[in-house]
Amino acid sequence: MKTRVTKAIFPVAGLGTRFLPATKSIPKEIMTLVDRPLIQYAIDEARAAGIKEFIFVTSRGKGALEDYFDIHPMLEQTLRRAGKDGLLEMLKNTNMDSGEIAYIRQHKALGLGHAVWCARRLIGNEPFAVILPDDVIAAEKPVLQQMVEAYEQTGGAMVAAMEVPPDKASSYGVLDIEEDMGDLVKVKGMVEKPAAEEAPSNLAVIGRYILTPKVLANISKVKSGAGGEIQLTDAIAAEINQNRGVYGFRFRGQRFDCGSKAGFLQATVAFGMARDDLRDEFTAYLDEMMSVRRAAQ
Ligand code: G1P
């Protein structure tokens, strides 16, 4: 089996009901964090990790995503004529080379595991990454790159992991820890969205994975799990029963849950403050807001 990770799956078939009415006509992955759609952050992170093939698992109504990665000759021509080289350069990052990107439809909303499985024919016999674009992670070294480096030592399957408050564990896949080695954790079990009292730890799975084709084979065998869906967590957990290593990786970075409104707003503030072109004006505004708020209390 080839060991370099050069393919990534982006499950983007979800309806995004938490962001209605916006998602009535735009895919949630196109929603904008400062000035870039969420999906662009995921693509940039994948590229930094050496990913060369980008596989999108989509559904009806996701056409805006395909357009976003397409070349836009009229726009480029207009910018060129106007001498807007900076903007032209920025657009280059959004264009995909021919054959670099593939779209597969998930015809039925049967869960994350099923979405990943839909891409099985494009994976072949090599490890691959999965990135959930809702989980945006600000990090000095992009998180998938951190994981690819760690994976070179472990092999097996690897999930990004983060400690969450115990009362939040039931919103995540949760790791049952066999051996805690610091950044790396050897896993002896995984539970998708456990009841609070049944969570084996408070180390939660975050939306970055490096998986092997064996996990794809497991998906076709696992029964529907939490929420009646085919869960990726269950297919990864099956690896452990088959005596193959599964690891959690405590990444260095700050994760934002852009699948929730509060998380999206937090990300907007954090990414806005991190931008050289916005920092001064934006932080001055936030300071003012806070002092008005304090004065009113
Ligand atoms: C998915 C996974 C879950 C993981 C989470 C991270 O859940 O099923 O294991 O912890 O992403 O964001 P979702 O949030 O899509 O329900």
Side-chain angles (χ1 to χ4, degrees), residues 97-218:
D97 285 341
S98 302
E100 220 184 9
I101 192 162
Y103 301 94
I104 294 274
R105 279 238 180 161
Q106 184 188 26
H107 295 110
K108 290 183 187 164
L110 294 179
L112 177 60
H114 178 262
V116 169
W117 181 77
C118 287
R120 67 199 178 282
R121 293 207 166 82
L122 296 178
I123 293 298
N125 193 26
E126 55 188 283
F128 60 96
V130 177
I131 296 188
L132 308 187
D134 276 3
D135 282 331
V136 175
I137 309 176
E140 227 163 82
K141 182 186 278 190
V143 169
L144 192 63
Q145 191 183 349
Q146 296 177 28
M147 287 174 73
V148 164
E149 287 171 11
Y151 176 77
E152 279 163 14
Q153 282 142 41
T154 60
M158 183 178 285
V159 300
M162 180 182 104
E163 256 83 26
V164 297
D167 63 319
K168 293 278 187 306
S170 56
S171 305
Y172 295 91
V174 179
L175 302 183
D176 195 353
I177 300 169
E178 178 176 319
E179 191 188 347
D180 198 330
M181 299 169 276
D183 287 352
L184 278 171
V185 171
K186 188 145 204 292
V187 173
K188 65 173 178 211
M190 279 171 81
V191 196
E192 180 68 15
K193 307 210 167 74
E197 61 283 5
E198 277 159 26
S201 74
N202 65 338
L203 194 56
V205 177
I206 299 302
R208 303 288 184 276
Y209 306 77
I210 297 178
L211 303 175
T212 65
K214 304 220 170 72
V215 175
L216 289 172
N218 293 343

Side-chain angles (χ1 to χ4, degrees), residues 35 37 67-95:
D35 54 7
D67 289 346
Y68 178 77
F69 290 114
D70 215 355
I71 292 169
H72 194 327
M74 201 180 77
L75 174 61
E76 290 184 9
Q77 200 183 40
T78 310
L79 293 174
R80 204 166 294 121
R81 277 209 201 110
K84 299 201 164 160
D85 296 341
L87 290 178
L88 266 174
E89 195 54 37
M90 178 199 285
L91 277 189
K92 266 198 198 149
N93 267 338
T94 68
N95 296 343

